[in-house]
Amino acid sequence: MQNYSYNPKPIEELTFTDDGMFQAVLHEPDICAELVERLLHVQVGHVEYPEIEKQIAPYYTTKGVRLDVYLKDSDKIIDIEMQSYPQEALGKRTRYYNSLVDIDCLMKGQDYSELKDCYILFICKNDPFKNENNKPFGMPCYTFENTCKENPLVNLNDKSVKVIYNSSAYEHEKDERIKRFLKYVCTNEPGEDDFNKHLSATIEKIKENEKFRSDYAAMNLHDRDITRMAKREGIEEGAHNKAVEAAINALKMELSPEQVSQITNLPLSEVIKLKEELFVKA
């Protein structure tokens, strides 16, 4: 059975890449704008709002996502995500985020032609892409746009861009400003870069903010609840698996489904299904 544990980091030890702190730092419009301009090479005019952990769940039956930082200006929407740990299916994650951002716009009455340029920006501490030998490609930046397979010069022009930075390869980045930022993400050392120094100073200021401290404590309580639930579900799943194993053994001993159900406390319908599966295998 999987061992679930949750050990929140003390506020005093939080860095730019930690959940909660990353969102709080980018809640500063000037920092958010400079980060976007540095990493995406696009100008940010008037930021309508940086919204911390925007929740997008179009329908009650769909899987919603909580975006780290979601902001707009007059002609573009940018989702910025921090990934401190390796994540599975990162490509599909960016695809899903992009689709929900578009749906969020269309639900407000926009036509397809009115969709704004969409940027999905991931800042990763580890290289998310590996070759067939499971070796990281080692690039500091991966940019993806939809182009034609038959002719790469043909662009779908859907105004959608996905940019994924790998801070562990900061030494290979040619743009000095980006290189310094990626090194900061990787090492937590601001160096002599003014922007990095501003980030560090903002982080120290946020640590002393009573509202942030209260929000961070509440977030940890929420995560603890999730952990407890996961642990309880894990225990229940383990107990159920043992009951199924016992039921199979009892059925092999030719006990009736009714008897097996009574012995294992499994629903009679489940026991009958197990018996049918056993006969098929036989």
Side-chain angles (χ1 to χ4, degrees), residues 159-172:
K159 304 299 182 181
S160 170
V161 182
K162 301 172 182 68
V163 181
I164 301 172
Y165 277 97
N166 163 32
S167 69
S168 67
Y170 69 87
E171 292 180 344
H172 302 295

Side-chain angles (χ1 to χ4, degrees), residues 158-222:
D158 60 352
K159 304 299 182 181
S160 170
V161 182
K162 301 172 182 68
V163 181
I164 301 172
Y165 277 97
N166 163 32
S167 69
S168 67
Y170 69 87
E171 292 180 344
H172 302 295
E173 175 57 50
K174 296 180 180 179
D175 185 311
E176 282 299 323
R177 295 170 73 239
I178 295 177
K179 181 178 182 178
R180 293 194 296 267
F181 171 74
L182 293 180
K183 182 178 180 180
Y184 174 59
V185 171
C186 185
T187 66
N188 197 39
E189 297 175 1
E192 297 303 315
D193 185 271
D194 289 340
F195 180 58
N196 293 344
K197 289 181 178 179
H198 185 28
L199 288 175
S200 292
T202 302
I203 289 168
E204 294 307 312
K205 182 178 178 181
I206 289 173
K207 288 179 181 179
E208 301 300 322
N209 183 283
E210 289 302 323
K211 185 178 186 308
F212 173 79
R213 298 177 74 89
S214 176
D215 290 344
Y216 184 68
M219 181 179 71
N220 286 334
L221 287 174
H222 172 69

Side-chain angles (χ1 to χ4, degrees), residues 99-146:
S99 66
L100 286 183
V101 168
D102 288 342
I103 290 173
D104 191 49
C105 290
L106 291 175
M107 288 180 69
K108 293 177 173 60
Q110 287 183 303
D111 186 68
Y112 296 120
S113 62
E114 297 177 280
L115 285 174
K116 298 183 178 184
D117 294 3
C118 179
Y119 293 86
I120 306 296
L121 171 61
F122 272 72
I123 303 170
C124 304
K125 295 192 70 173
N126 303 281
D127 196 331
F129 300 108
K130 298 179 181 180
N131 62 21
E132 57 186 13
N133 297 319
N134 203 36
K135 182 179 179 181
F137 282 99
M139 295 169 58
C141 182
Y142 303 88
T143 302
F144 300 93
E145 295 183 80
N146 290 320

Side-chain angles (χ1 to χ4, degrees), residues 9-11 13-24 82 84-85 125 212 216 219:
K9 182 182 288 189
I11 287 181
E13 298 178 11
L14 293 178
T15 67
F16 177 63
T17 63
D18 287 311
D19 191 30
M21 181 58 75
F22 176 73
Q23 293 92 333
M82 173 62 70
S84 296
Y85 304 98
K125 295 192 70 173
F212 173 79
Y216 184 68
M219 181 179 71

